[in-house]
Amino acid sequence: MGDDPCVEETRRGRPTMNDVAAAAGVALKTVSRVVNSEPGVNAATASRVQAAIERLGYRRNDSARILRRGRTASIGLVIEDVADAFYSSLSRAVEDAALHHGYLLFTGSSREDAARERDVVLAFCARRVDGLIIVPAGSDHGYLAPELEAGIKVVFADRPPGAGCEADTVLCDNVGGARMGTAHLIAHGHRRIAFLGDSPRIFTAAERLRGYRQALAAAGLPYDEGLVAMGPADPARMRADLTRLLTASEPPTALLTGNGRTTVETLRALASLTDAADAGSAAGLALVGFDDFELADLLGVTVVAQDPARLGRTAADLLFMRLSGDEEPTCRIELATRLVPRGSGERPPLPLRDRTAG
Amino acid sequence: MGDDPCVEETRRGRPTMNDVAAAAGVALKTVSRVVNSEPGVNAATASRVQAAIERLGYRRNDSARILRRGRTASIGLVIEDVADAFYSSLSRAVEDAALHHGYLLFTGSSREDAARERDVVLAFCARRVDGLIIVPAGSDHGYLAPELEAGIKVVFADRPPGAGCEADTVLCDNVGGARMGTAHLIAHGHRRIAFLGDSPRIFTAAERLRGYRQALAAAGLPYDEGLVAMGPADPARMRADLTRLLTASEPPTALLTGNGRTTVETLRALASLTDAADAGSAAGLALVGFDDFELADLLGVTVVAQDPARLGRTAADLLFMRLSGDEEPTCRIELATRLVPRGSGERPPLPLRDRTAG
DNA sequence: CAGAAGAGTGACAACGTTGTCTAGGGTTGT
DNA sequence: ACAACCCTAGACAACGTTGTCACTCTTCTG
């Protein structure tokens, strides 16, 4: 009475193949065969094993399986922030691809922090992912050398790896997109166009600044540093920058914003600065945003659209090609951007003396 | 010459602790101690081992570690869709909590498909996650019994588990929120209020419908099925439903929309139906949306705000309490919602004869 | 009818790590 | 000088699975 009432049931924790084997009266290996749908098991035996599996609630231990087999059928995705719409679209595309190939997906955010990027990547490597898709935050990827050496396939997305790291890369045409957006404003008569972008140490922000400058140069317009404000999309900073721009002696008549968050915060700042209900036309400024965003259509904001889902899909396709044995030299793909006119970018320059801000 | 030029370097694949031990001239176990920062290793020995680790690019194999130790220090999160803003905020909160506790996070989307939810959950269990946070798509969670039995901690978020599954649950006050939003419209003079929601087989949609009906009843207003349209947030369907509502003999003067996507698609449909640039006031309808969304402030849309980040944080806190040994009876937490007036919900009813839609 | 072929099953080692136990050698206390 | 101790280090088994090989029956072939 004081003893185990039933030894078999008292076993704590998860049942193993051994337990199933004992319950079904077969050998361990036979259970393994059933679990993995391997051929060479009598139908009657198989169903007896199956019954034992269901009765005990057995689930295969993938850690043991991975340890034994070497391949994990999982990939890792490192992005900047899951909560950002751009990256969550990208995530979803990668998740779809992983599911389609029967892979499990780890996702982690770097929060634009190189050390954290490294930690997340190495944690995934410790879990022995077969491949990685990385949106790099840092610019030194030397830490990847042993991983690449060990055969882990890596694809960089949205931004290239740091110098000295050779790997497939999928980017948007940042320079071309920014050039196109700027040229669009120039074509509508603007001569003083401000550029509001993310911190210039971020690859995409620097590239877009480059495109902006190219467009100015192509049109024979001067590059004025006073019209450029770059930094993280912090509402307070952006308000201050916009106030400075708009109260300058020669304020811009148009804005090019460097990414989705910047565009949105610019719209907010403009709305709060001008008390205009219709933010799209606030202050009479023309506006082109780099990167499309939800509701840009309703707000009438002209954008240079990237396609984050396509970016993710392309990176995943590339990764799975590598995983299935493709040994071609590494490649660098640049996806085209698309200008979507919605009104805000087609406004002509307004005489600026009429209004004051602040 | 034809042979291995250097046996040690030729070894394919990843170095193991054994390799490191050999390279450093110590025993396997000593390497293990160094890797895990266990005490009892001479500083000189430790640095020799460390050097070998770096030279070989050794990374611990977590599968083996997990197999040996039993605990995985990882949790799984199953949501409906990473690309949805509500769930991506929730994800981010969970990710933060996981990071803070030193746990790794698996994320998977169910796409509102019960079978897929089950597959994802079981895949995570096969990887031996210690805990799970689930936004359930299905209503039968019998498949979780063996997992719970095996000690996996489960917290349900946003929606409760199906009958017969006992587990901690964190919800929003859907009924109260919808009641509040509806009462707000009633307080502004509306008598015919339409409800546009997600498919009624989704828990939150059904609850919100319930809140809507309660508010009507409390105000002595009749419940008119003709004012209710529920289904997935498909643009075409929503346009058709709105057209039907607005061209009815007694059209509504206000709308309550049942979630973020529905609100956004409603705004789009209204804009396209009325050609109004200012979608917020399109058709003169008052509008309250359940669930806040990016740019609702600029569009002037009154919402009943949930806090997805708080939802995720609460669920994660609960899970980590369970993981650290908390054995209290399961609980069900309901988070309050908050009404955020921004204009669209404060418009008075308009005489409806003036306009025609379609 | 003997021998070969094949289907079904099981024994066993190995994957890379960690927990337990043991051994060597130096220091301390009496 | 001897025992008792601590510090360091290694030997070994075990975690749960899968790949390899070997064994036992049938059944088929010559």
Side-chain angles (χ1 to χ4, degrees), chain A residues 14 59-63 66-67 72 74 81-82 88 92 95-96 99 106 109 111 116 122 126-128 143 147 150 264 267-268 271 293-295 297-298, chain B residues 14 59-63 66-67 72 74 81-82 88 92 95-96 99 104 106 109 111 116 122 126-128 143 147 150 264 267-268 271 293-295 297-298:
Chain A
R14 289 197 162 272
R59 312 270 193 235
R60 177 172 63 199
N61 183 329
D62 272 354
S63 289
I66 289 166
L67 176 60
T72 63
S74 61
D81 180 2
V82 245
S88 64
R92 176 173 164 154
E95 186 188 333
D96 282 339
L99 183 81
F106 289 90
S109 300
R111 296 294 144 73
R116 186 154 164 201
L122 291 185
R127 287 300 223 277
R128 293 295 186 269
Y143 70 87
E147 319 303 328
V264 167
L267 290 173
R268 287 218 172 87
F293 58 97
E294 171 105 293
L295 294 178
D297 53 341
L298 282 186
Chain B
R14 289 197 163 273
R59 313 274 192 230
R60 178 171 63 199
N61 183 328
D62 272 355
S63 289
I66 289 165
L67 176 60
T72 62
S74 61
D81 180 1
V82 246
S88 63
R92 177 173 164 155
E95 186 187 334
D96 283 339
L99 183 80
L104 209 56
F106 289 90
S109 301
R111 297 295 146 72
R116 188 159 162 193
L122 292 185
R127 288 298 225 274
R128 292 295 184 270
Y143 71 88
E147 319 304 328
V264 167
L267 290 172
R268 287 221 171 85
F293 59 97
E294 171 106 295
L295 295 179
D297 54 341
L298 281 186

Coordinates of all heavy atoms in Angstrom, one line a residue, chain A residues 14 59-63 66-67 72 74 81-82 88 92 95-96 99 106 109 111 116 122 126-128 143 147 150 264 267-268 271 293-295 297-298, chain B residues 14 59-63 66-67 72 74 81-82 88 92 95-96 99 104 106 109 111 116 122 126-128 143 147 150 264 267-268 271 293-295 297-298:
Chain A
R14 N 8.2 12.5 -19.2 CA 7.7 12.0 -20.5 C 8.1 10.6 -20.7 O 9.1 10.1 -20.4 CB 8.4 12.8 -21.6 CG 7.9 14.2 -21.7 CD 8.2 14.8 -23.0 NE 7.4 15.9 -23.3 CZ 6.2 15.9 -23.8 NH1 5.7 14.7 -24.2 NH2 5.5 16.9 -24.0
R59 N 5.7 11.6 -27.3 CA 6.1 12.5 -28.4 C 7.6 12.4 -28.5 O 8.3 12.4 -27.5 CB 5.8 14.0 -28.0 CG 4.5 14.3 -27.5 CD 3.5 14.6 -28.6 NE 2.3 15.2 -28.0 CZ 1.1 14.7 -28.2 NH1 0.9 13.7 -29.0 NH2 0.0 15.3 -27.7
R60 N 8.0 12.3 -29.8 CA 9.4 12.1 -30.0 C 10.2 13.2 -29.4 O 9.8 14.4 -29.5 CB 9.6 12.0 -31.5 CG 11.1 11.9 -31.9 CD 11.2 11.7 -33.4 NE 10.7 12.8 -34.2 CZ 10.3 12.7 -35.5 NH1 10.4 11.5 -36.1 NH2 9.8 13.7 -36.1
N61 N 11.4 13.0 -28.9 CA 12.3 14.0 -28.4 C 13.2 14.4 -29.5 O 14.2 13.7 -29.9 CB 13.1 13.4 -27.2 CG 14.0 14.5 -26.6 OD1 14.5 15.4 -27.3 ND2 14.2 14.4 -25.3
D62 N 12.9 15.6 -30.0 CA 13.7 16.1 -31.2 C 15.2 16.4 -30.8 O 16.0 16.4 -31.7 CB 13.0 17.3 -31.8 CG 12.0 16.9 -32.9 OD1 12.0 15.7 -33.2 OD2 11.3 17.8 -33.4
S63 N 15.4 16.7 -29.6 CA 16.8 17.0 -29.2 C 17.7 15.8 -29.4 O 18.8 15.8 -30.0 CB 16.9 17.5 -27.8 OG 16.4 18.7 -27.6
I66 N 18.0 15.1 -33.2 CA 18.9 16.1 -33.8 C 20.3 15.6 -33.5 O 21.2 15.6 -34.3 CB 18.6 17.5 -33.3 CG1 17.3 18.0 -33.9 CG2 19.8 18.4 -33.7 CD1 16.8 19.3 -33.3
L67 N 20.5 15.3 -32.2 CA 21.9 14.9 -31.8 C 22.4 13.8 -32.6 O 23.5 13.7 -33.1 CB 21.8 14.6 -30.3 CG 23.1 14.0 -29.7 CD1 24.2 15.1 -29.9 CD2 22.9 13.6 -28.3
T72 N 19.0 19.5 -38.4 CA 17.9 19.9 -37.5 C 16.6 20.3 -38.1 O 15.6 20.5 -37.5 CB 18.4 21.1 -36.6 OG1 18.6 22.2 -37.5 CG2 19.6 20.8 -35.9
S74 N 15.8 23.2 -39.1 CA 15.3 24.4 -38.6 C 16.2 25.5 -39.1 O 17.4 25.3 -39.3 CB 15.3 24.4 -37.1 OG 16.6 24.2 -36.5
D81 N 13.4 44.2 -35.2 CA 12.3 44.3 -34.3 C 11.0 43.7 -34.9 O 10.5 44.1 -35.9 CB 12.0 45.8 -34.0 CG 10.9 46.0 -33.0 OD1 10.3 45.0 -32.5 OD2 10.6 47.2 -32.8
V82 N 10.5 42.6 -34.2 CA 9.3 42.0 -34.7 C 8.1 42.9 -34.8 O 7.2 42.7 -35.6 CB 8.8 40.8 -33.8 CG1 8.9 39.5 -34.5 CG2 9.4 40.9 -32.4
S88 N 8.0 42.5 -39.8 CA 7.0 41.5 -39.5 C 6.5 40.9 -40.9 O 6.2 39.7 -40.9 CB 5.9 41.9 -38.6 OG 5.1 42.9 -39.1
R92 N 6.9 37.0 -41.9 CA 5.9 36.1 -42.3 C 6.2 35.4 -43.6 O 5.9 34.2 -43.8 CB 4.6 36.9 -42.5 CG 3.5 36.1 -43.0 CD 2.2 36.7 -43.1 NE 1.4 35.8 -44.0 CZ 0.1 35.7 -43.9 NH1 -0.6 36.4 -43.1 NH2 -0.5 34.9 -44.7
E95 N 8.6 32.7 -42.7 CA 7.9 31.6 -42.0 C 7.1 30.7 -43.0 O 7.1 29.5 -42.8 CB 6.9 32.3 -41.0 CG 6.2 31.2 -40.1 CD 5.1 31.8 -39.3 OE1 5.2 33.0 -39.0 OE2 4.2 31.1 -38.9
D96 N 6.5 31.4 -43.9 CA 5.8 30.6 -45.0 C 6.7 29.7 -45.7 O 6.4 28.5 -45.9 CB 5.1 31.5 -46.0 CG 3.8 32.1 -45.4 OD1 3.3 31.6 -44.5 OD2 3.4 33.2 -45.9
L99 N 7.8 26.8 -43.4 CA 6.7 25.8 -43.3 C 6.7 25.0 -44.5 O 6.6 23.7 -44.5 CB 5.4 26.6 -43.1 CG 4.2 25.6 -42.9 CD1 4.2 25.2 -41.4 CD2 2.9 26.3 -43.2
F106 N 13.3 29.8 -35.9 CA 13.6 30.6 -34.7 C 13.6 32.0 -35.2 O 14.2 32.4 -36.2 CB 15.0 30.3 -34.2 CG 15.1 29.0 -33.5 CD1 15.5 27.9 -34.3 CD2 15.0 28.9 -32.2 CE1 15.7 26.7 -33.6 CE2 15.2 27.6 -31.6 CZ 15.5 26.5 -32.3
S109 N 15.1 39.3 -32.3 CA 15.3 40.7 -32.6 C 16.6 41.2 -32.1 O 17.0 40.9 -31.0 CB 14.2 41.5 -32.0 OG 12.9 41.1 -32.5
R111 N 17.3 44.5 -32.1 CA 17.1 45.8 -31.5 C 18.2 46.8 -32.0 O 18.6 47.6 -31.2 CB 17.0 45.8 -30.0 CG 15.9 45.1 -29.4 CD 14.6 45.7 -29.7 NE 13.5 44.7 -29.9 CZ 13.0 44.0 -28.9 NH1 13.3 44.2 -27.7 NH2 12.1 43.1 -29.2
R116 N 23.8 42.2 -29.4 CA 22.6 41.3 -29.3 C 22.4 40.5 -30.5 O 22.0 39.3 -30.5 CB 21.4 42.2 -29.0 CG 20.2 41.4 -28.7 CD 19.2 42.0 -27.9 NE 18.0 41.2 -28.1 CZ 16.8 41.7 -27.8 NH1 16.6 42.9 -27.4 NH2 15.8 40.9 -28.0
L122 N 24.4 33.3 -32.2 CA 25.1 32.2 -31.6 C 24.2 31.3 -30.9 O 24.4 30.1 -30.8 CB 26.3 32.8 -30.7 CG 27.4 33.4 -31.5 CD1 28.5 33.8 -30.6 CD2 27.9 32.5 -32.7
A126 N 24.0 27.4 -31.6 CA 24.1 26.4 -30.5 C 23.0 25.4 -30.6 O 23.1 24.3 -30.3 CB 24.1 27.1 -29.1
R127 N 21.8 25.9 -31.1 CA 20.7 25.0 -31.3 C 20.9 24.3 -32.7 O 20.0 23.5 -33.1 CB 19.4 25.8 -31.3 CG 18.9 26.2 -30.0 CD 18.7 25.1 -29.0 NE 17.5 25.2 -28.2 CZ 17.4 25.9 -27.1 NH1 18.4 26.6 -26.6 NH2 16.3 25.9 -26.4
R128 N 22.0 24.6 -33.3 CA 22.3 23.9 -34.6 C 21.3 24.0 -35.7 O 20.9 23.1 -36.4 CB 22.5 22.4 -34.3 CG 23.8 22.1 -33.4 CD 25.0 22.4 -34.2 NE 26.2 22.0 -33.4 CZ 26.8 22.8 -32.5 NH1 26.4 24.0 -32.2 NH2 27.9 22.4 -31.9
Y143 N 32.6 36.8 -36.3 CA 32.1 35.7 -35.4 C 31.4 34.6 -36.2 O 31.2 33.5 -35.6 CB 31.2 36.3 -34.3 CG 29.9 36.8 -34.8 CD1 28.8 35.9 -34.9 CD2 29.6 38.1 -35.2 CE1 27.5 36.3 -35.3 CE2 28.4 38.5 -35.6 CZ 27.4 37.6 -35.7 OH 26.1 38.1 -36.1
E147 N 31.0 29.3 -38.0 CA 29.7 28.7 -38.3 C 29.7 28.4 -39.8 O 29.2 27.3 -40.2 CB 28.6 29.7 -38.0 CG 28.7 30.5 -36.7 CD 28.8 29.6 -35.5 OE1 28.2 28.5 -35.6 OE2 29.6 29.9 -34.6
A150 N 31.5 25.4 -40.4 CA 30.9 24.2 -40.0 C 29.7 23.9 -41.0 O 29.0 22.9 -40.8 CB 30.3 24.4 -38.6
V264 N 6.0 58.2 -40.8 CA 4.9 58.3 -39.8 C 5.1 59.3 -38.8 O 4.2 60.1 -38.5 CB 4.6 56.9 -39.2 CG1 3.6 57.0 -38.0 CG2 4.1 55.9 -40.2
L267 N 4.7 62.7 -40.2 CA 3.3 63.1 -40.4 C 2.7 63.6 -39.0 O 2.0 64.6 -39.0 CB 2.5 61.9 -40.9 CG 2.7 61.5 -42.3 CD1 2.0 60.2 -42.7 CD2 2.3 62.6 -43.3
R268 N 3.1 62.9 -38.0 CA 2.6 63.2 -36.7 C 3.1 64.6 -36.3 O 2.4 65.4 -35.8 CB 3.1 62.2 -35.6 CG 2.4 60.9 -35.7 CD 2.2 60.4 -34.3 NE 1.3 59.2 -34.4 CZ 1.8 57.9 -34.6 NH1 3.1 57.7 -34.7 NH2 1.0 56.9 -34.7
A271 N 1.5 67.3 -38.2 CA 0.2 67.5 -37.7 C 0.2 68.4 -36.4 O -0.6 69.3 -36.2 CB -0.5 66.2 -37.5
F293 N 3.5 52.0 -46.1 CA 3.0 51.6 -44.8 C 1.5 51.6 -44.8 O 0.8 52.2 -45.7 CB 3.5 52.6 -43.7 CG 3.1 54.1 -44.0 CD1 2.0 54.6 -43.4 CD2 3.8 54.8 -44.8 CE1 1.6 55.9 -43.6 CE2 3.5 56.2 -45.1 CZ 2.4 56.7 -44.5
E294 N 0.9 50.8 -43.9 CA -0.5 50.6 -43.8 C -1.2 52.0 -43.7 O -0.8 52.8 -42.9 CB -0.8 49.8 -42.6 CG -2.3 49.6 -42.3 CD -2.9 48.3 -42.7 OE1 -2.9 48.0 -43.9 OE2 -3.2 47.5 -41.7
L295 N -2.2 52.2 -44.5 CA -3.0 53.4 -44.5 C -2.4 54.6 -45.2 O -3.0 55.7 -45.2 CB -3.4 53.8 -43.1 CG -4.3 52.8 -42.4 CD1 -4.6 53.2 -40.9 CD2 -5.6 52.7 -43.1
D297 N -2.4 54.8 -48.2 CA -3.4 55.1 -49.2 C -4.4 56.0 -48.8 O -4.8 57.0 -49.4 CB -4.0 53.8 -49.7 CG -4.6 52.9 -48.6 OD1 -4.2 53.1 -47.4 OD2 -5.4 52.1 -48.9
L298 N -4.9 55.8 -47.6 CA -6.0 56.7 -47.0 C -5.4 58.1 -46.7 O -6.2 59.1 -46.8 CB -6.6 56.1 -45.8 CG -7.6 55.0 -46.0 CD1 -8.3 54.6 -44.7 CD2 -8.7 55.4 -47.0
Chain B
R14 N 31.6 20.3 -37.1 CA 31.9 21.1 -36.0 C 32.8 20.4 -35.0 O 32.7 19.2 -34.8 CB 30.6 21.4 -35.2 CG 29.8 22.4 -35.9 CD 28.8 22.9 -35.0 NE 28.2 24.1 -35.5 CZ 28.7 25.3 -35.4 NH1 29.8 25.5 -34.7 NH2 28.1 26.4 -35.9
R59 N 31.5 25.7 -30.6 CA 30.2 26.2 -30.0 C 29.5 25.0 -29.4 O 29.4 24.0 -30.0 CB 29.3 26.8 -31.0 CG 29.9 27.7 -32.0 CD 29.9 29.1 -31.5 NE 30.3 30.1 -32.6 CZ 31.2 31.0 -32.5 NH1 31.9 31.1 -31.4 NH2 31.4 31.8 -33.5
R60 N 29.1 25.2 -28.2 CA 28.4 24.1 -27.5 C 27.2 23.6 -28.3 O 26.5 24.4 -28.9 CB 27.9 24.6 -26.1 CG 27.1 23.6 -25.3 CD 26.9 24.1 -23.9 NE 26.1 25.3 -23.9 CZ 26.0 26.1 -22.9 NH1 26.7 25.9 -21.8 NH2 25.2 27.1 -22.9
N61 N 27.0 22.4 -28.3 CA 25.8 21.8 -28.9 C 24.7 21.7 -27.9 O 24.6 20.8 -27.1 CB 26.2 20.4 -29.5 CG 25.0 19.7 -30.2 OD1 23.9 20.0 -29.9 ND2 25.4 19.0 -31.2
D62 N 23.7 22.6 -28.1 CA 22.6 22.7 -27.2 C 21.7 21.5 -27.2 O 21.0 21.2 -26.2 CB 21.8 23.9 -27.4 CG 22.4 25.1 -26.6 OD1 23.3 24.9 -25.8 OD2 21.9 26.2 -26.7
S63 N 21.6 20.8 -28.3 CA 20.8 19.6 -28.4 C 21.3 18.6 -27.4 O 20.5 18.0 -26.7 CB 20.8 19.0 -29.8 OG 20.1 19.9 -30.7
I66 N 20.6 19.8 -23.9 CA 19.2 19.7 -23.5 C 18.9 18.2 -23.2 O 18.2 17.9 -22.2 CB 18.3 20.2 -24.6 CG1 18.4 21.7 -24.7 CG2 16.9 19.8 -24.5 CD1 17.9 22.3 -26.0
L67 N 19.4 17.4 -24.1 CA 19.1 15.9 -23.9 C 19.6 15.5 -22.5 O 18.9 14.8 -21.8 CB 19.9 15.2 -25.0 CG 19.8 13.7 -24.9 CD1 18.3 13.2 -24.9 CD2 20.6 13.0 -26.0
T72 N 15.2 23.0 -21.2 CA 15.6 23.5 -22.5 C 15.8 25.0 -22.4 O 16.4 25.6 -23.4 CB 14.7 23.2 -23.6 OG1 13.4 23.9 -23.3 CG2 14.4 21.8 -23.7
S74 N 13.7 27.2 -23.1 CA 13.1 27.8 -24.3 C 11.6 27.7 -24.2 O 11.0 26.8 -23.5 CB 13.5 27.1 -25.6 OG 13.2 25.8 -25.6
D81 N -0.9 35.3 -36.6 CA -0.2 35.8 -37.8 C 0.8 36.9 -37.4 O 0.5 37.9 -36.9 CB -1.2 36.5 -38.8 CG -0.5 37.0 -40.0 OD1 0.7 36.8 -40.2 OD2 -1.2 37.5 -40.9
V82 N 2.1 36.6 -37.6 CA 3.2 37.5 -37.2 C 3.0 38.9 -37.9 O 3.4 39.9 -37.3 CB 4.6 37.1 -37.6 CG1 5.4 36.8 -36.4 CG2 4.6 36.0 -38.6
S88 N 2.1 41.1 -33.5 CA 3.5 41.4 -33.5 C 3.9 42.2 -32.2 O 5.0 42.1 -31.7 CB 4.0 42.0 -34.8 OG 3.4 43.3 -35.0
R92 N 6.5 40.8 -29.5 CA 7.6 41.6 -29.0 C 7.7 41.6 -27.5 O 8.8 41.5 -26.9 CB 7.6 43.0 -29.5 CG 8.7 43.8 -29.0 CD 8.9 45.1 -29.6 NE 9.8 45.8 -28.7 CZ 10.6 46.8 -29.0 NH1 10.5 47.2 -30.2 NH2 11.3 47.4 -28.1
E95 N 8.9 38.3 -26.4 CA 10.3 38.1 -26.7 C 11.2 38.8 -25.6 O 12.2 38.3 -25.2 CB 10.6 38.7 -28.1 CG 12.0 38.5 -28.5 CD 12.3 39.2 -29.8 OE1 11.4 39.5 -30.6 OE2 13.5 39.5 -30.0
D96 N 10.7 40.0 -25.3 CA 11.5 40.8 -24.2 C 11.5 40.0 -22.9 O 12.6 39.9 -22.3 CB 10.8 42.1 -24.0 CG 11.1 43.1 -25.1 OD1 12.1 42.9 -25.8 OD2 10.4 44.1 -25.2
L99 N 13.8 37.0 -23.3 CA 15.2 37.4 -23.2 C 15.6 37.7 -21.8 O 16.7 37.3 -21.3 CB 15.4 38.7 -24.1 CG 16.8 39.2 -24.2 CD1 17.6 38.4 -25.2 CD2 16.8 40.7 -24.5
L104 N 15.1 31.1 -24.8 CA 15.0 31.3 -26.2 C 13.5 31.1 -26.7 O 12.8 30.4 -26.0 CB 15.8 30.2 -26.9 CG 16.4 30.5 -28.3 CD1 17.3 31.7 -28.2 CD2 17.2 29.3 -28.7
F106 N 10.6 30.3 -29.6 CA 10.1 29.8 -30.9 C 8.8 30.6 -31.1 O 7.9 30.7 -30.2 CB 9.7 28.3 -30.8 CG 10.8 27.4 -30.7 CD1 11.3 27.0 -29.5 CD2 11.4 26.9 -31.9 CE1 12.4 26.1 -29.4 CE2 12.4 26.0 -31.8 CZ 12.9 25.6 -30.5
S109 N 2.9 30.7 -36.5 CA 1.6 31.3 -36.8 C 0.6 30.1 -37.1 O 1.0 29.2 -37.8 CB 1.7 32.2 -38.0 OG 2.5 33.3 -37.7
R111 N -2.4 30.8 -38.5 CA -3.2 31.2 -39.6 C -4.7 30.9 -39.4 O -5.4 30.5 -40.3 CB -2.8 30.6 -40.9 CG -1.4 30.9 -41.4 CD -1.3 32.4 -41.7 NE 0.0 32.9 -41.4 CZ 1.1 32.6 -42.1 NH1 1.1 31.9 -43.1 NH2 2.2 33.1 -41.7
R116 N -3.2 23.5 -37.9 CA -1.9 24.1 -38.0 C -1.5 24.5 -36.6 O -0.3 24.3 -36.2 CB -1.9 25.3 -38.9 CG -0.5 25.7 -39.1 CD -0.3 26.5 -40.3 NE 0.9 27.2 -40.1 CZ 1.3 28.2 -40.9 NH1 0.6 28.6 -41.9 NH2 2.4 28.8 -40.6
L122 N 2.8 21.0 -31.3 CA 3.5 19.7 -31.1 C 4.9 19.7 -31.6 O 5.8 19.1 -31.0 CB 2.7 18.6 -31.8 CG 1.3 18.3 -31.1 CD1 0.7 17.1 -31.8 CD2 1.5 18.1 -29.6
A126 N 8.0 18.8 -29.3 CA 9.0 17.8 -29.7 C 10.4 18.4 -29.4 O 11.3 17.7 -29.2 CB 8.8 17.4 -31.1
R127 N 10.5 19.7 -29.6 CA 11.7 20.4 -29.3 C 11.9 20.6 -27.8 O 12.8 21.2 -27.3 CB 11.8 21.8 -30.0 CG 12.0 21.7 -31.5 CD 13.3 21.0 -31.8 NE 14.1 21.6 -32.9 CZ 13.9 21.5 -34.2 NH1 13.0 20.7 -34.6 NH2 14.7 22.1 -35.0
R128 N 10.9 20.1 -27.0 CA 10.9 20.1 -25.6 C 11.0 21.5 -25.0 O 11.8 21.8 -24.1 CB 12.1 19.3 -25.0 CG 11.9 17.8 -25.3 CD 10.8 17.2 -24.5 NE 10.7 15.8 -24.7 CZ 10.0 15.2 -25.6 NH1 9.3 15.9 -26.5 NH2 9.9 13.9 -25.7
Y143 N -5.4 17.5 -27.3 CA -4.0 17.1 -27.6 C -3.0 17.6 -26.7 O -1.8 17.1 -26.7 CB -3.7 17.5 -29.1 CG -3.5 19.0 -29.3 CD1 -2.3 19.6 -29.1 CD2 -4.6 19.9 -29.6 CE1 -2.0 20.9 -29.3 CE2 -4.4 21.2 -29.8 CZ -3.1 21.8 -29.6 OH -2.9 23.1 -29.8
E147 N 1.1 16.7 -22.8 CA 2.1 17.8 -22.6 C 2.0 18.3 -21.2 O 3.0 18.5 -20.5 CB 2.0 18.9 -23.6 CG 1.6 18.4 -25.1 CD 2.6 17.5 -25.6 OE1 3.8 17.6 -25.2 OE2 2.3 16.6 -26.4
A150 N 3.2 16.0 -18.8 CA 4.7 15.9 -18.8 C 5.3 17.1 -18.1 O 6.5 17.2 -18.0 CB 5.2 15.7 -20.2
V264 N -9.7 49.1 -40.3 CA -9.0 49.7 -41.4 C -9.7 49.4 -42.7 O -9.8 50.3 -43.6 CB -7.5 49.0 -41.4 CG1 -6.8 49.3 -42.7 CG2 -6.8 49.6 -40.2
L267 N -12.6 51.7 -43.1 CA -12.2 53.0 -43.6 C -11.9 53.0 -45.1 O -12.3 53.9 -45.8 CB -10.9 53.4 -42.8 CG -11.1 53.7 -41.3 CD1 -9.8 54.0 -40.6 CD2 -12.0 54.9 -41.1
R268 N -11.2 52.0 -45.5 CA -10.9 51.9 -47.0 C -12.2 51.9 -47.8 O -12.4 52.6 -48.8 CB -10.1 50.7 -47.3 CG -8.7 50.7 -46.8 CD -7.7 50.1 -47.9 NE -6.4 50.4 -47.5 CZ -5.7 49.7 -46.6 NH1 -6.2 48.5 -46.1 NH2 -4.5 50.0 -46.2
A271 N -14.1 55.1 -47.8 CA -13.4 56.0 -48.7 C -13.7 55.7 -50.1 O -14.0 56.6 -50.9 CB -11.9 56.0 -48.4
F293 N -4.9 51.2 -33.6 CA -4.0 50.9 -34.7 C -3.1 52.1 -35.0 O -3.5 53.2 -34.7 CB -4.7 50.4 -35.9 CG -5.7 51.4 -36.5 CD1 -5.4 52.2 -37.5 CD2 -7.0 51.5 -35.9 CE1 -6.4 53.1 -38.0 CE2 -8.0 52.4 -36.4 CZ -7.6 53.2 -37.5
E294 N -2.0 51.8 -35.6 CA -1.0 52.9 -36.0 C -1.8 53.9 -36.9 O -2.4 53.5 -37.8 CB 0.1 52.2 -36.7 CG 1.1 53.2 -37.4 CD 2.4 53.4 -36.6 OE1 2.4 53.8 -35.4 OE2 3.4 53.0 -37.2
L295 N -1.6 55.2 -36.6 CA -2.1 56.3 -37.4 C -3.6 56.6 -37.1 O -4.2 57.4 -37.7 CB -1.9 56.1 -38.9 CG -0.4 56.1 -39.2 CD1 -0.2 55.8 -40.7 CD2 0.2 57.4 -38.8
D297 N -4.6 58.0 -34.7 CA -4.5 59.3 -34.2 C -4.6 60.4 -35.3 O -5.4 61.3 -35.2 CB -3.3 59.6 -33.3 CG -2.0 59.2 -34.1 OD1 -2.0 58.5 -35.1 OD2 -0.9 59.7 -33.7
L298 N -3.9 60.1 -36.4 CA -3.9 61.1 -37.5 C -5.2 61.1 -38.2 O -5.6 62.1 -38.7 CB -2.7 60.8 -38.4 CG -1.4 61.3 -38.0 CD1 -0.4 61.1 -39.1 CD2 -1.4 62.8 -37.6

